[in-house]
Amino acid sequence: MKDSEIDAVLRNHTEIVFARTSPQQKLIIVEACQRAGNIVAVTGDGVNDSPALKKADIGIAMGITGSDVSKQAADIVLLDDNFASIVTGIEEGRLIFDNLKKTICYTLMSNIPEIAPVVMYFLLSIPLGLQTIPMLLICLGTDMIPSISMAHETAEADIMKLPPRSPKERLVSMKLIHCTYLQAGMIAAAGAFFAYFVVLGTCGFWPSRVFGLRAEWEDPMVMDLEDSYGQEWNYHQRMMLQRTVEAAFFAAVVIFQWLDLICRKVRRKSVFQKGMRNWFLNFALVFETAVTAFCIYVPGLNYALSLNSIRFIWWLPVIPFAIYFFVFDELRRYMIRRYPNGWMEREFLF
């Protein structure tokens, strides 16, 4: 058969059997399938199968009956010669890829609420919302165990019903960056800044007073800075208030991470369908909360970390933002499931 004839057969028939093919014909069939844009897997055990195994996107050699030449040409060696193991291997590969994406998406989210205080510090000339040490606490303390817990996530129910992903798809894609930074990250930063202004406002500095206040706020020579109510604050009092504000900002980021971690358990299914059966992840939620409380409330340690004790009520301002993100992400996944291959899936499935 000519190449054009083989292409026509592959284009017009969904199920095809080629019988009694020679090694050269096997290679021609593999090349024809690749020209059609398919990902081709080839199994073989003999020396004659080596060209097709080498040419295929995935060459699978038999581990027991296969020749040494076929094993060297293949990408995968099937140790038990059981074809069902291929399906298991594909499922594990998809699971690893999914969990890596989930881990990266969760880890990158906190970059925005960490960077935003520094950007606003210079653009709006407001007191700094988060210093370097609390940023490191988020990256190395509260982020670490939750990120590792993603590796223990089980596969979603429809993982083997999905078509193969495009070979052009990357682990860190623009859709993942969009989902992480422009969705979760921006909402987290907004919630943390809301907590920031709630604490300052409760202590007397309304937002209208805060903007442009940085120079006077940080000047140790200014001992009578007035707040919105006309109360005077000396330099030491302002620095203690700033530690309190940073503690509230830090707590807000961690609380948002709770919901973000739960949302990242799944890419397509609902969180309610998946459940909370990953006990390592459940432990991670408790762990990051305990680390946060320990750093904020232990005397001496909180001062060393540029933090201060905060009222319980100052943990709460970010919660509406976290719930909003949870609902938004559930709706995003519902629309992806409801309209397969639709606009939502093309633009928002990371």
Side-chain angles (χ1 to χ4, degrees), residues 199 203 239-251 292-315:
V199 175
C203 295
M239 292 303 101
M240 291 305 295
L241 177 56
Q242 179 162 331
R243 289 174 180 270
T244 305
V245 168
E246 290 185 29
F249 199 103
F250 173 51
T292 305
F294 187 78
C295 293
I296 290 175
Y297 291 109
V298 174
L301 177 63
N302 56 10
Y303 189 84
L305 297 175
S306 302
L307 302 173
N308 195 17
S309 298
I310 59 175
R311 303 175 192 173
F312 173 75
I313 197 172
W314 288 339
W315 288 72

Side-chain angles (χ1 to χ4, degrees), residues 190-249:
F193 267 111
F194 182 63
Y196 169 94
F197 284 113
V198 165
V199 175
L200 284 175
T202 304
C203 295
F205 290 91
W206 288 95
S208 58
R209 181 72 179 95
V210 172
F211 294 119
L213 188 63
R214 185 186 73 196
E216 292 180 276
W217 182 274
E218 295 180 347
D219 189 349
M221 303 304 295
V222 177
M223 303 300 289
D224 56 353
L225 181 65
E226 291 187 358
D227 62 18
S228 301
Y229 299 107
Q231 302 173 98
E232 294 184 350
W233 293 71
N234 62 36
Y235 179 74
H236 175 72
Q237 290 171 330
R238 297 197 303 273
M239 292 303 101
M240 291 305 295
L241 177 56
Q242 179 162 331
R243 289 174 180 270
T244 305
V245 168
E246 290 185 29
F249 199 103

